Amino acid sequence: MTVPTARAAAALDTLREPPTLRNRSSVPGVVEVELTAAPARLRLFPGSPLVNAYAYNGTVPGPTLDVHEGDSVIIHLHNRLPDSTTVHCHGLHFSAHADGSPLDPIAPGQSYDYTFRIPRGWAGTYWYHPHVDKHTTFQVAMGLFGAIIIRAPHDPLAAMRIPEKLLILSDNRFDSTGAIAFPDPQSIQAEIDLENGREGNVLFVNGQVMPAIPIRRNEVQLWRIVNASASRAYRLALAGQSLIHVGSDGGLFERPVEARDILLANSGRAEVLVRGTGTPGSRTVLQDLPYDRYMPQTRPSDWDSTRTLLSLKVTSAPAGPPVEIPPVLRPIPALDTSNVAARRVIVMSQGQIDGKRMDMHRVDLRAYLGTTEIWEVQNVVGMDHPFHLHGLHFQVLDRDGVPEPYRSWIDLVNVPKHSSVRIVVHFEDFPGKWMYHCHILDHEDEGMMGILELLN
Ligand code: C2O
Ligand code: CU
Ligand code: CU
């Protein structure tokens, strides 16, 4: 049996999307869904035998939570795994009891209701994943991740009525029997995984290897891209054409930005518009260009190869009329930095934040609701660390002193090796304990995480 690599695989079939979680409530504005995390026997790549995996409702990726701003959401989680788990809705803004952080594990056999309301202004592309102490990498690698889409009542892209595709990027590693492979804890590979974060050599889009997307000439599609990899960063490019970058973690930018490539650190999201160009029958590929996020001593030897994720095929259908892309998407007011309650420096080193490892019984930072803070997140080591804050979104002020060219709402900022990023964050509501951490899941499991307590 041979394990396919993204490079060897031809376009196998047309992109499929995960099922949407069925809303069992008929009350307008209420979305009530059942989510069961359980072991499953699945075929994870073409030609693969059935192997042991974990899945939400039996699929990898899990089903998509598709909701609107203002909706009240109830997720009935049933944990049928042999381990404790949580469901963390990454990037959402809600009370701490809904966060699914490591402070609130759900034991095997137990159920838990995550209840929250989607605030106005949070339309965008998000995702959910387990967030259990020290075992997040394992559970995500076993197949537990899924997407969340939040829709706005007034959305200039929805008004275009263009086709929309969800692309969940993940990678995994398999042994010679086709089973999901984990290194022996004593091995060199385990040490390399701890350093780099676990990467796999098989790249998936929605659980498929090199699927194809058909597009008509002149057609414009919205792609919502989620990086659900445990640690792989993607530098995304469409060979031969530019991407129109319209949004990031927390939804749309103020204006579309034309980009040759987009760096998507793990757990980051990008919304892009893609136009059908080229002659009927021609095709291009979505590439992952080389990006050196690694420590020199553990950098993979093939780090500088370009990988392919999917193919985009121009159909022979007659060209549609040219589509006009709105020049303005939505306002993103700058957070007010004239009255800042605290300026902090947060130092990320290998496996630690501010020289400490995660302690569930310690509070590392305290801040007050109604205040704004500026955090300088420094990376003092020779590999990138993507910094994530729970329950909130923030804006980047500058990177190594260079002002951010345009504003966006993000919950994840990649801090490249030996560099620093200044972010501004406002605390409005929802007191409680919120995690901040490196989102390379092995680093998070290792304890590269702290607790921010928001106080009234
Ligand atoms: Cu994707 Cu602590 O989160
Ligand atoms: Cu999160
Ligand atoms: Cu890290």
Side-chain angles (χ1 to χ4, degrees), residues 88-91 99 129 131 388-391 411 437 439:
H88 170 59
C89 292
H90 177 121
D99 191 40
H129 61 80
H131 208 315
H388 170 54
L389 174 59
H390 278 213
D411 53 63
H437 59 89
H439 214 292

Side-chain angles (χ1 to χ4, degrees), residues 5 104 148-150 156 170 197 235 280 318 369 372 384 387 391 399 415:
T5 61
D104 300 303
I148 301 171
I149 296 174
I150 301 178
S170 68
R235 191 155 71 89
L369 297 182
T372 300
D384 293 19
F387 180 83
R399 303 181 195 240
V415 188

Side-chain angles (χ1 to χ4, degrees), residues 194-197 293 348-352 379 381 383-387 437-444 446 448:
L194 186 58
E195 186 92 332
N196 292 344
R293 65 178 189 83
M348 295 196 289
S349 55
Q350 213 59 0
Q352 300 189 325
N379 179 352
V381 295
M383 73 173 289
D384 293 19
H385 292 289
F387 180 83
H437 59 89
C438 173
H439 214 292
I440 292 177
L441 295 182
D442 293 86
H443 296 182
E444 175 191 318
E446 194 191 3
M448 209 175 158

